[in-house]
């Protein structure tokens, strides 16, 4: 089916149902000295929920989201949502951007004008991109797949069809972080004939460096990474273990309780961003709640978690990636990769260390992110 343009609009009945649920919250009791080390801190969550109940305006956010062009098409039986904004320049480069969890296509919302119309912000029109931002199947506005097994490699194949068959781009660029990094790497590995290059903000959790018993073959940087990764998994990886083993047990709670969903997502935005424990130093409540609303209104918290199961149980090994790769390391991101290891697996032609920012890269530092993307692909455009 050819792509069809649409506007985001959810029925008022869903908003009314949400309002009723937010008026009937049963808060858990916490000891007075409980902080974030045991999970979401109640006072912080209550402040977010009060804003949600009394000040947050979904219709205003909906109108803001509809300022860009949204489309749907069906690929392999699944309805796929994507943004498609044309660049303003002599030869815009097509660029597909893939989000992760627990964010959404909103990860890249602020950088759309920076990439499509760089001249407007003092840049060169020759750096313009056609920007394509799909929602991963089972996340937000893309439909929940009918069956299991939709992992990073499967999504990469869907993206290839989206770019080549639906949109007619024979050559294109790709970028992503978190789950989006995995999808982007599989896209480059499976279809190097179509992919000009890829830009990443991480290269996933390198479990082979965590499992090495004889570390004599590793560099000091790689050994340190293995130690840090083991500690991080032990302290922060509970969400991942649960979503990769029992996603549907979790889904009932997240799909039925807006406060439960907000707690699950808010904690990650606080812990994984460059905010030093102060969420509002990086995001405002409207940003956090609009992202939460995309999961709530579409009922996709469970299907998004289910992708962790599919990646853990059905994802094939990925081979060497030969297309040019740019890596942008944001200092507060999760487990910054060792360059020595990455260089063995990826054809790295640009490695950037950004001065600030965390896991939600383009949301936290849109200008820094956009400039690094423009700089990396500048030398590849002629190819």
């Amino acid at each position: 089916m050819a792509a069809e343009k649409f506007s985001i609009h959810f029925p008022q009945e869903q908003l009314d149902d949400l309002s009723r649920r937010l008026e009937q919250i049963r808060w858990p009791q916490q000891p007075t000295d409980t902080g974030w080390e045991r999970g979401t801190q109640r006072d912080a969550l209550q402040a977010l929920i009060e804003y949600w109940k009394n000040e947050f305006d979904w219709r205003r956010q909906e109108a803001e989201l509809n300022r860009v062009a949204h489309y749907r098409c069906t690929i392999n039986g699944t309805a796929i949502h994507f943004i498609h904004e044309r660049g303003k320049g002599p030869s815009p480069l097509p660029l597909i951007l893939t989000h992760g969890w627990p964010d959404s296509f909103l990860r890249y919302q602020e950088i759309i004008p920076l990439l499509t119309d760089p001249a407007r912000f003092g840049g060169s029109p020759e750096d313009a991109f056609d920007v394509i931002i799909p929602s991963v199947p089972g996340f937000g506005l893309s439909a929940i797949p009918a069956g299991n097994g939709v992992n990073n490699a499967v999504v990469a194949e869907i993206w290839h069809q989206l770019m080549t068959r639906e949109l007619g781009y024979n050559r294109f660029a790709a970028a992503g972080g978190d789950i989006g990094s995995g999808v982007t790497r599989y896209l480059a590995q499976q279809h190097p004939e179509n992919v000009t290059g890829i830009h990443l903000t991480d290269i996933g959790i390198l479990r082979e460096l965590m499992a090495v018993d004889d570390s004599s073959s590793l560099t000091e940087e790689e050994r340190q990474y293995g130690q840090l990764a083991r500690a991080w998994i032990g302290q922060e990886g509970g969400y991942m273990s649960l979503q990769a083993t029992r996603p549907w047990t979790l889904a009932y709670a997240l799909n039925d309780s807006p406060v439960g969903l907000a707690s699950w997502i808010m904690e990650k935005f606080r812990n994984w961003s460059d905010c030093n424990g102060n969420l509002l130093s990086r995001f405002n409540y409207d940003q956090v709640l609009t992202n939460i609303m995309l999961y709530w209104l579409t009922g996709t918290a469970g299907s998004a978690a289910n992708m962790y199961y599919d990646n853990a149980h059905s994802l094939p090994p990925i081979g060497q990636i030969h297309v040019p790769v740019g890596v942008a390391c944001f200092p507060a991101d999760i487990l910054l990769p060792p360059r020595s290891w990455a260089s063995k697996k990826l054809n790295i032609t640009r490695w950037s260390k950004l001065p600030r920012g965390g896991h939600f890269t383009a949301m936290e530092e849109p200008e820094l992110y956009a400039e690094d993307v423009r700089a990396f692909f500048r030398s590849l455009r002629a190819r």
Side-chain angles (χ1 to χ4, degrees), residues 321-339:
I321 293 175
H322 297 288
V323 306
V325 178
V327 178
C329 298
F330 288 75
D333 201 354
I334 299 165
L335 296 175
L336 296 177
R339 184 171 183 174

Side-chain angles (χ1 to χ4, degrees), residues 36-95:
W36 284 93
E37 71 280 356
R38 295 174 185 262
T40 305
Q41 207 273 337
R42 190 175 69 175
D43 289 348
L45 182 59
Q46 286 178 326
L48 176 71
I49 300 306
E50 283 301 306
Y51 185 90
W52 201 358
K53 288 165 56 176
N54 301 316
E55 298 183 57
F56 180 74
D57 184 347
W58 169 252
R59 292 302 186 203
R60 183 165 68 86
Q61 298 304 320
E62 208 172 47
E64 184 67 24
L65 294 178
N66 284 324
R67 293 178 64 182
V68 296
H70 296 268
Y71 296 85
R72 285 197 192 101
C73 66
T74 299
I75 300 176
N76 297 346
T78 300
I80 301 297
H81 155 262
F82 62 98
I83 292 169
H84 189 196
E85 285 288 318
R86 300 281 185 175
K88 298 178 180 180
S91 185
L93 177 65
L95 172 65

Side-chain angles (χ1 to χ4, degrees), residues 54-356:
N54 301 316
E55 298 183 57
F56 180 74
D57 184 347
W58 169 252
R59 292 302 186 203
R60 183 165 68 86
Q61 298 304 320
E62 208 172 47
E64 184 67 24
L65 294 178
N66 284 324
R67 293 178 64 182
V68 296
H70 296 268
Y71 296 85
R72 285 197 192 101
C73 66
T74 299
I75 300 176
N76 297 346
T78 300
I80 301 297
H81 155 262
F82 62 98
I83 292 169
H84 189 196
E85 285 288 318
R86 300 281 185 175
K88 298 178 180 180
S91 185
L93 177 65
L95 172 65
I96 183 167
L97 294 156
T98 309
H99 65 82
W101 180 92
D103 53 89
S104 60
F105 70 86
L106 295 179
R107 174 184 277 237
Y108 300 113
Q109 181 182 12
E110 291 190 45
I111 67 166
I112 294 174
L114 297 171
L115 295 181
T116 57
D117 191 9
R120 176 181 160 197
F121 302 92
S124 169
E126 294 183 355
D127 286 336
F129 295 87
D130 284 353
V131 172
I132 299 92
I133 310 173
S135 294
V136 174
F139 285 70
L141 298 176
S142 282
I144 297 172
N148 293 315
V150 181
N151 55 39
N152 287 346
V154 171
V155 174
E157 286 299 319
I158 294 174
W159 280 191
H160 181 255
Q161 292 189 48
L162 172 64
M163 295 298 284
T164 59
R165 298 184 189 180
E166 294 292 334
L167 300 180
Y169 293 122
N170 186 53
R171 292 285 288 170
F172 57 89
D178 194 84
I179 285 173
S181 168
V183 171
T184 300
R185 282 178 280 131
Y186 275 95
L187 183 58
Q189 196 270 330
Q190 293 167 181
H191 295 284
E193 72 281 2
N194 299 111
V195 178
T196 301
I198 62 173
H199 183 277
L200 309 172
T201 54
D202 63 79
I203 56 175
I205 296 176
L206 310 178
R207 294 184 182 276
E208 58 195 87
L209 294 184
M210 298 168 56
V212 172
D213 294 325
D214 178 13
S215 62
S216 61
S217 62
L218 303 180
T219 67
E220 179 60 27
E221 185 186 30
E222 290 165 351
R223 283 194 292 272
Q224 289 180 359
Y225 175 91
Q227 294 169 359
L228 288 171
R230 287 190 291 271
W232 188 88
I233 291 291
Q235 184 65 28
E236 292 282 345
Y239 81 97
M240 188 162 41
S241 296
L242 182 55
Q243 294 190 163
T245 57
R246 298 294 185 271
W248 293 112
T249 301
L250 173 67
Y252 297 105
L254 300 185
N255 201 63
D256 191 59
S257 169
V259 175
L261 178 63
S263 173
W264 194 244
I265 292 177
M266 178 193 191
E267 186 219 321
K268 302 312 175 194
F269 271 77
R270 186 255 186 197
N271 286 359
W272 295 353
S273 64
D274 190 10
C275 73
N276 288 318
N278 178 11
L279 180 71
L280 295 180
S281 71
R282 278 288 167 182
F283 308 100
N284 58 51
Y285 281 154
D286 282 340
Q287 288 175 299
V288 175
L289 288 169
T290 300
N291 185 69
I292 291 169
M293 286 287 281
L294 285 174
Y295 283 91
W296 176 259
L297 292 171
T298 59
T300 54
S303 53
N306 192 55
M307 191 172 182
Y308 278 75
Y309 188 101
D310 287 328
N311 278 335
H313 292 83
S314 65
L315 192 63
I318 190 168
Q320 195 80 15
I321 293 175
H322 297 288
V323 306
V325 178
V327 178
C329 298
F330 288 75
D333 201 354
I334 299 165
L335 296 175
L336 296 177
R339 184 171 183 174
S340 56
W341 187 93
S343 297
K344 301 171 190 174
K345 307 290 183 179
L346 308 170
N347 177 22
I348 294 174
T349 61
R350 179 181 174 89
W351 186 277
S352 306
K353 292 186 176 181
L354 284 300
R356 58 190 177 274

